Amino acid sequence: MVCSVISLGLRGVEGYPVTAECALSGGLPSFDVVGLPDAAVKEARERVRSAIKSSGFDFPVSRITVNLAPADRRKAGTVYDLPILVGILAAGSQLSLKTERDSAFIGELSLDGRLRPVSGVLPMALAAKRAGIARLFVPADNAPEATLADGLEVIPVHNVRELAGHLTGEQLIPPAPVWEQEPSPVQGPDFSEVKGQEHAKRALEVAAAGGHHVLMSGSPGSGKSMMAKRLPSILPDMTRAEALACTEIYSVMGLTSKEHPMVRRRPFRAPHHTISAAGMTGGGSNPKPGEISLAHNGVLFLDELPEFHSDVLEVLRQPLEDGRTQISRVSGSVTYPSRFMLVCAMNPCKCGWYGHPSGRCTCTEQSVRRYLSRLSGPMLDRIDICVDVPSLEYDELSGSVPPSESSAVIRARVNAARAVQLARFGPDGPACNAQMGPRELRDYCGLDQTCRQLIRGAYDRLGLTARGYDRILRVARTIADLDGAADIAANHLAEALQYRPPEHLRA
Ligand SMILES: Nc1ncnc2c1ncn2[C@@H]1O[C@H](COP(=O)(O)OP(=O)(O)OP(=O)(O)O)[C@@H](O)[C@H]1O
Ligand SMILES: [Mg+2]
């Protein structure tokens, strides 16, 4: 007798339906799993055998063959424990699946028949919904996350006995309530603690509002790392679609939990400069997302930028352009979303004091150039906003200046500017000004006579490239949005032009 049970698999952060076909036939007792299973899937046999026995059922004394279709895709992980168990019990007529034709099953089994949570539940639940599956049986701890895929009935299962009771109709398990998102408090340090540096704070506000890439350059101890750490407190709120996209990635990495099934604040990732290229983009024989994907819809902060290996910076170029990263393996290629806001901090030279009024810099011109040459031109060309962070004057530090604005006040302006962008581009357009393509630039970044003259003068003087020109328009658009202006005016454009890389970085 053959019985088919629907389940789900993962390829990258995309789910897809899998059918577990279980056949019981005569012959010497055996138990085989085919359909490109990895080691964890093969080990399902031992867990299933033990779970069946400890839940009070008989393990069939026959030749058992399980085929995971489509058989040409590699199956990994422990999610197939539950569908295999259900298939074997149904094929041996110990359970009936008559009422569950449009149901799917995922979950890891423990030897005593309890269900353990698995990773990647949200992408699998979304795939189930797309495939028209009505009901999803998941380990109880995964249920809150599965309910995020609106419109799918989620049945939380604690153990095999409970599931059997439900399938026979003895004791139905009530569907899990849809997980309700509460307003998420913004945690972490506040911008009010940063004294002075008004120019840099303004640049970070513009960057947060439009999703622009930023580079902060300045002498040691001027507050670059301090301000970057406070960036999460002014990032705009995420839309539900953005939050779900982040949650899918975190789910695949096993970083979601029963208490926190959804990523609700924009991610802030700050990998150390010793990170490898694979750690940055993702990889491994069974590919996993890297830092740039964990930073999707959030911030990737690279402190001490020139210390990163040059190959690590090179691999960022393509994702910065496309918003996704592709990893090729013999078994096929997977694509991960990785659209992030890049924030970098660096000293202007090796000793850190280049250009400081005290004249402390001990570097030769040559060593300054060598230090900066680690940043490739094309990489710098992708940065929208460059800002100098000078050492503080004593008066600024000693507190004789008015206190700084709090993050909440800045975030309110950022949120307002982001709302303008959302309304302008609609749900299918770019998420923010930094992502505007040629069409949006044409439609929303028209310049009047004064602005055209201003940018024409700057074009030759600053040696702009076509990419640099577009970038200035995008930043100017964000500054106009922060100002509540319908059109870009000369003062917006002039501020955007200030954020060009300084002379010594362009050389
Ligand atoms: N603008 C500032 N307002 C208040 N405190 C500051 C400011 N700048 C620096 N500090 C103090 O100095 C410490 C060091 O600053 P931070 O680590 O941000 O420097 P940095 O610019 O990143 O230096 P480096 O180039 O060496 O990494 C901060 O933790 C903070 O205590
Ligand atoms: Mg620092």
Side-chain angles (χ1 to χ4, degrees), residues 221 224-226 301 303-304 345:
K224 300 180 295 297
S225 306
M226 186 182 186
F301 175 46
D303 206 354
E304 317 290 350

Side-chain angles (χ1 to χ4, degrees), residues 42-270:
K42 282 188 191 145
E43 284 172 3
R45 292 177 298 180
E46 298 312 317
R47 290 187 295 272
V48 168
R49 191 195 307 269
S50 173
I52 286 183
K53 286 184 182 159
S54 35
S55 305
F57 293 99
D58 296 325
F59 190 77
V61 188
S62 26
R63 190 185 157 88
I64 305 171
T65 311
V66 176
N67 177 34
L68 299 173
D72 59 348
R73 285 207 190 171
R74 202 159 282 286
K75 315 293 181 316
T78 51
V79 293
Y80 305 110
D81 290 8
L82 186 62
I84 292 174
L85 174 135
V86 171
I88 291 176
L89 292 182
S93 304
Q94 299 190 71
L95 273 185
S96 164
L97 280 182
K98 279 207 185 64
T99 56
E100 302 297 342
R101 295 244 176 271
D102 50 358
S103 298
F105 297 80
I106 53 175
E108 175 182 328
L109 289 167
S110 67
L111 299 182
D112 61 1
R114 273 180 298 178
L115 271 113
R116 290 221 171 93
V118 290
S119 51
V121 168
L122 179 61
M124 288 193 275
L126 289 169
K129 194 175 118 185
R130 279 197 301 273
I133 291 164
R135 207 168 302 104
L136 180 63
F137 290 81
V138 294
D141 284 352
N142 287 133
E145 185 180 320
T147 62
L148 296 176
D150 254 352
L152 190 70
E153 190 176 289
V154 174
I155 309 289
V157 185
H158 290 93
N159 55 54
V160 174
R161 284 244 52 93
E162 190 187 39
L163 176 66
H166 179 92
L167 296 179
T168 52
E170 270 168 33
Q171 173 116 45
L172 292 183
I173 308 172
V178 174
W179 188 77
E180 285 294 337
Q181 176 175 356
E182 295 152 21
S184 54
V186 180
Q187 289 159 339
D190 200 277
F191 259 98
S192 58
E193 295 153 3
V194 182
K195 295 179 184 142
Q197 306 298 16
E198 296 307 327
H199 180 59
K201 280 192 261 184
R202 166 70 183 174
L204 290 177
E205 175 178 336
V206 174
H212 303 286
H213 306 313
V214 200
L215 171 66
M216 291 183 277
S217 158
S219 42
S222 55
K224 300 180 295 297
S225 306
M226 186 182 186
M227 284 188 283
K229 280 182 201 135
R230 282 154 182 76
L231 199 53
S233 65
I234 63 163
L235 292 177
D237 299 334
M238 278 201 280
T239 61
R240 185 176 160 84
E242 284 175 323
L244 283 182
C246 287
T247 306
E248 285 190 72
I249 298 166
Y250 278 68
S251 170
V252 168
M253 290 293 278
L255 297 174
T256 50
S257 65
K258 183 168 73 168
E259 294 78 23
H260 304 286
M262 193 173 192
V263 178
R264 291 181 297 166
R265 299 287 319 159
R266 290 183 188 272
F268 180 85
R269 305 292 301 185

